[in-house]
Amino acid sequence: DQQVKQNSPSLSVQEGRISILNCDYTNSMFDYFLWYKKYPAEGPTFLISISSIKDKNEDGRFTVFLNKSAKHLSLHIVPSQPGDSAVYFCAASPPRRFGNEKLTFGTGTRLTIIP
Amino acid sequence: GAGVSQSPSNKVTEKGKDVELRCDPISGHTALYWYRQSLGQGLEFLIYFQGNSAPDKSGLPSDRFSAERTGGSVSTLTIQRTQQEDSAVYLCASSLVQGHIYEQYFGPGTRLTVT
């Protein structure tokens, strides 16, 4: 049972335009969400996160939106740059009080920025 | 500062052999995680160590898999009697668990190929 889903395995966007990566989750106990970026032959790198008490978090060109009622989050990158080409993973965590810190990851979306 | 390091970076082994994968977390990080990524899949949680607590082994796929963390720092993941389906990239991550900070920092991974 895939609790975190990234339904688009790949996405191509023109340089300078907005990239929107989507993620859906099924477990209503998740209350913290993260995006990771992965280049080939490297480990994932933390990008941005959002707590369930917020619906938006912004960091430079990156903004994450959370819609709890729809169990949906998205990552917006604007403007997109060639260096943004990578695989992006969405991840989710239950509250710490449950004592389980492990992240549940989606299958990733490969973003290609076209110069 | 030094990030999470893993060794070896690549390992090719024959079916039935045992392998050991090593992870050196970021100094001072109390939590350590092992994940694996099979071809075309997301990151699959394997095991989680937090301080002196008993590890969360709920993600280990079989009893051929085990892990230990010595002195609250270095961790070794051992796979006994390897099978071809064990071929994957094994990723280690560490985090400083405090407050609402969940971000995990990943190493570059060990690519295991079982022939």
Side-chain angles (χ1 to χ4, degrees):
Chain A
D1 175 34
Q2 192 73 25
Q3 295 187 60
V4 178
K5 301 177 184 178
Q6 294 177 257
N7 292 319
S8 298
S10 63
L11 175 68
S12 294
V13 174
Q14 203 77 31
E15 181 179 0
R17 299 290 185 102
I18 183 171
S19 295
I20 300 176
L21 296 98
N22 293 302
C23 178
D24 297 288
Y25 61 97
T26 57
N27 189 340
S28 58
M29 301 307 298
F30 290 146
D31 79 340
Y32 199 79
F33 304 89
L34 307 88
W35 283 95
Y36 281 82
K37 175 180 179 179
K38 186 180 185 300
Y39 292 119
E42 294 184 11
T45 303
F46 169 72
L47 196 56
I48 192 169
S49 62
I50 189 167
S51 165
S52 60
I53 61 174
K54 295 184 173 182
D55 55 17
K56 176 183 175 181
N57 188 25
E58 190 172 354
D59 183 3
R61 297 185 298 114
F62 303 91
T63 303
V64 55
F65 295 92
L66 175 63
N67 182 335
K68 283 173 52 182
S69 61
K71 294 191 179 67
H72 177 84
L73 65 155
S74 60
L75 174 68
H76 292 210
I77 307 173
V78 55
S80 301
Q81 299 174 353
D84 296 331
S85 295
V87 177
Y88 289 79
F89 290 97
C90 170
S93 175
R96 286 193 60 211
R97 65 180 181 273
F98 288 175
N100 186 340
E101 309 289 348
K102 66 176 185 272
L103 296 176
T104 301
F105 284 83
T107 52
T109 297
R110 181 177 300 279
L111 175 65
T112 302
I113 304 303
I114 304 165
Chain B
V4 178
S5 61
Q6 293 185 244
S7 61
S9 56
N10 280 285
K11 176 72 177 178
V12 179
T13 190
E14 292 180 354
K15 177 182 172 181
K17 300 279 190 181
D18 298 351
V19 295
E20 283 190 353
L21 312 179
R22 177 188 168 104
C23 171
D24 285 85
I26 294 172
S27 177
H29 279 193
T30 56
L32 186 147
Y33 315 77
W34 283 97
Y35 297 86
R36 73 175 176 182
Q37 185 181 17
S38 303
L39 191 63
Q41 302 296 314
L43 278 73
E44 174 191 5
F45 166 78
L46 296 177
I47 188 169
Y48 158 59
F49 297 90
Q50 166 56 11
N52 295 320
S53 303
D56 176 354
K57 304 179 182 179
S58 60
L60 295 178
S62 77
D63 58 8
R64 295 186 296 104
F65 288 73
S66 63
E68 62 177 22
R69 187 179 186 191
T70 54
S73 180
V74 172
S75 178
T76 303
L77 177 69
T78 301
I79 309 173
Q80 296 179 309
R81 306 181 302 282
T82 52
Q83 303 295 312
Q84 288 185 332
E85 61 262 29
D86 299 335
S87 296
V89 176
Y90 288 81
L91 290 156
C92 174
S94 69
S95 70
L96 184 59
V97 180
Q98 60 181 22
H100 292 286
I101 304 300
Y102 292 79
E103 289 82 4
Q104 298 177 16
Y105 297 86
F106 283 82
T110 293
R111 180 175 297 277
L112 175 66
T113 304
V114 182
T115 60

